[in-house]
Amino acid sequence: MKLAKLSLAAIVALGVSAFADVENVKFSGNAKLYYGTTDAGSADLFDKKGAYGQAAATVAVSADLADGVAGKLSATGLSTLGLEHNLVSNTWAGKRNGQPILDAQWWVDEAWLAKTFGNTTFKVGRQELDTPLAFSEKWNIAKNTFDAAVLLNSDLPETTLVAAWVGRGNGASDGGVVRGVVNGSDPFDTYGSAIANAYNPALKQFGLELLKPKGAYAFGAITKLIPMTTAQVWYYSVVSIANAWWLQADLDLKDAVPGLTAGAQYAYIDPQGPISSLDESSAWAVKLGYTLDALKLSAAYSSTDEDGVVNVANTATGASTASQSKLYTEAWWSYGYVSRPSTDAWTVSAEYSMEDVADFGAYYTSADQDNGKHVATPVDMDEFTLTASKSFGNLNTTLAYIYTDADDQNDGDSYNTIQVYLTYNF
């Protein structure tokens, strides 16, 4: 008995020693409940047939470890809460091939370590990314993340250099943002799988070589050396699938006209490998904004190449017609229209924060697609959205009304959508 006690004491001592250098341990997370309803088709608002709902929970722990290493571990779970039995017929995220998964799902969405050496930080593991053509989409109830290694350096004055290798991701090209977990399956695939899944059926139909995802490289520079300007340049190589450039400059003109901002973007995607013979895709956009106290106004215009083949959108979710884009003109809800080939789009918005009441927003987007080289049937889309957001302590709430009129939705007839977002942060 005495020997057993000594052994246990030794084990405890070793455990305490191993974690002695762990500091600033923080637990955080959130619980979400999202609901949406539409009167598209034969459904009425609030009917089960046209409604979708889901709950999600994220729990994370971060800490400063030994030798100046920081780390984070986070897991996300999805549940329908049984809403499909009487209130909804679809889910928000975690689908497979566009079909809802009713079973509970969970996965590790972040697991990374970071170390800083002088002005250089190296971060490796499962993490969020926020770059123009490869990013975590956060509009849905769950976000996509990446297995990546990222190097950041700020030796140059007012400049950050970025180099990244992206090996895998769980982005889905079916509009659900994240790939669903089926029978404990791993939702993370080699980066580029979402693009391959979007285009391989067509390649197979014509007996062509299929796309084989092999990961991606990304290099970027973000600088404020130019007065009143934040400029960024990005280069991507989605191995054997596409190379891409993204150029952007955002201007804060407050020294000339208080509250005035402006911006310009240019993107270029060059297909590689089995699709190297396809035409390049490109887009450009400009915006103008004005802020006066609690009121924010914005207007933007974009245009894509009429010979383009792919959407100038998030490669993490396939750069498909369901992928979100970083173009200034991106719609509030109907993603994938402004970034399509041969499309001119414009958007205007107004946001107003009424103290002690709520934050209000009004957004209008119009996308007009022409007969481009690879556009068999042009698709136009108009969307108008009104939002009201209010925080009650740790509880964030948003109510949204969306009017949509798109040629490829609801047989070309307009329809209405109402959404409720509830998020409790802890």
Side-chain angles (χ1 to χ4, degrees):
M1 181 67 70
K2 184 176 181 181
L3 180 59
K5 288 183 178 179
L6 288 174
S7 298
L8 180 59
I11 291 172
V12 171
L14 287 172
V16 172
S17 175
F19 289 94
D21 292 329
V22 177
E23 299 177 342
N24 299 324
V25 179
K26 297 179 181 179
F27 292 91
S28 62
N30 58 63
K32 299 178 180 179
L33 180 61
Y34 285 8
Y35 171 82
T37 178
T38 175
D39 61 4
S42 59
D44 292 326
L45 289 175
F46 306 108
D47 280 353
K48 174 184 176 181
K49 184 178 181 180
Y52 44 100
Q54 202 165 21
T58 298
V59 179
V61 57
S62 60
D64 293 331
L65 310 177
D67 299 322
V69 175
K72 182 178 181 180
L73 181 64
S74 173
T76 289
L78 297 177
S79 173
T80 66
L81 298 181
L83 296 172
E84 71 277 8
H85 295 306
N86 50 33
L87 291 179
V88 304
S89 61
N90 208 337
T91 59
W92 284 72
K95 304 177 183 182
R96 278 283 187 174
N97 301 319
Q99 298 302 311
I101 299 174
L102 302 182
D103 295 334
Q105 307 169 61
W106 77 273
W107 65 94
V108 175
D109 58 355
E110 290 189 75
W112 52 262
L113 296 174
K115 171 71 173 178
T116 298
F117 305 88
N119 293 322
T120 300
T121 297
F122 181 60
K123 184 176 180 181
V124 61
R126 186 160 295 177
Q127 57 191 285
E128 295 181 18
L129 291 180
D130 186 14
T131 76
L133 288 173
F135 57 93
S136 298
E137 297 187 23
K138 298 182 180 181
W139 58 269
N140 208 326
I141 200 168
K143 64 177 184 279
N144 60 297
T145 53
F146 308 81
D147 290 343
V150 180
L151 194 66
L152 303 171
N153 178 271
S154 58
D155 281 325
L156 297 177
E158 298 189 83
T159 301
T160 299
L161 302 178
V162 183
W165 159 251
V166 185
R168 302 203 307 162
N170 68 332
S173 58
D174 60 5
V177 177
V178 294
R179 188 175 297 107
V181 179
V182 180
N183 298 324
S185 62
D186 183 3
F188 285 76
D189 284 347
T190 303
Y191 192 80
S193 295
I195 300 177
N197 292 339
Y199 294 101
N200 275 347
L203 295 175
K204 185 177 181 180
Q205 179 181 358
F206 293 102
L208 301 176
E209 181 185 354
L210 301 183
L211 298 177
K212 298 178 180 179
K214 299 178 181 178
Y217 297 93
F219 303 93
I222 306 168
T223 182
K224 294 184 178 181
L225 284 175
I226 304 172
M228 300 184 295
T229 303
T230 299
Q232 49 184 314
V233 177
W234 292 89
Y235 169 76
Y236 301 83
S237 174
V238 184
V239 180
S240 300
I241 294 179
N243 295 330
W245 288 91
W246 183 283
L247 311 177
Q248 182 170 329
D250 294 292
L251 288 73
D252 186 344
L253 304 172
K254 62 182 179 181
D255 292 340
V257 180
L260 185 65
T261 59
Q265 299 171 321
Y266 175 76
Y268 175 86
I269 300 177
D270 185 14
Q272 301 293 308
I275 58 174
S276 60
S277 61
L278 297 180
D279 291 312
E280 300 85 355
S281 299
S282 64
W284 61 269
V286 291
K287 74 169 184 178
L288 196 63
Y290 182 71
T291 300
L292 178 62
D293 298 327
L295 177 64
K296 294 182 179 179
L297 303 175
S298 179
Y301 176 84
S302 67
S303 182
T304 59
D305 188 349
E306 64 178 12
D307 293 337
V309 178
V310 301
N311 281 34
V312 182
N314 190 6
T315 60
T317 51
S320 67
T321 54
S323 301
Q324 190 179 33
S325 172
K326 289 283 191 178
L327 291 173
Y328 295 136
T329 52
E330 184 58 279
W332 193 91
W333 175 249
S334 300
Y335 304 133
Y337 288 94
V338 305
S339 58
R340 293 184 184 187
S342 194
T343 298
D344 294 325
W346 60 275
T347 184
V348 293
S349 67
E351 298 175 336
Y352 184 75
S353 180
M354 187 176 294
E355 188 175 358
D356 299 327
V357 178
D359 296 330
F360 299 97
Y363 312 86
Y364 178 77
T365 299
S366 179
D368 181 10
Q369 188 177 38
D370 294 328
N371 282 297
K373 181 177 179 180
H374 302 282
V375 179
T377 304
V379 174
D380 297 339
M381 186 279 296
D382 291 282
E383 177 191 284
F384 175 66
T385 301
L386 294 174
T387 64
S389 300
K390 173 72 174 178
S391 294
F392 303 89
N394 291 340
L395 177 63
N396 298 330
T397 68
T398 295
L399 175 64
Y401 164 76
I402 307 162
Y403 168 87
T404 307
D405 186 2
D407 292 340
D408 61 346
Q409 294 189 54
N410 197 36
D411 293 327
D413 294 331
S414 62
Y415 64 95
N416 304 286
T417 301
I418 295 176
Q419 296 175 344
V420 179
Y421 302 76
L422 302 175
T423 302
Y424 181 80
N425 299 300
F426 53 86

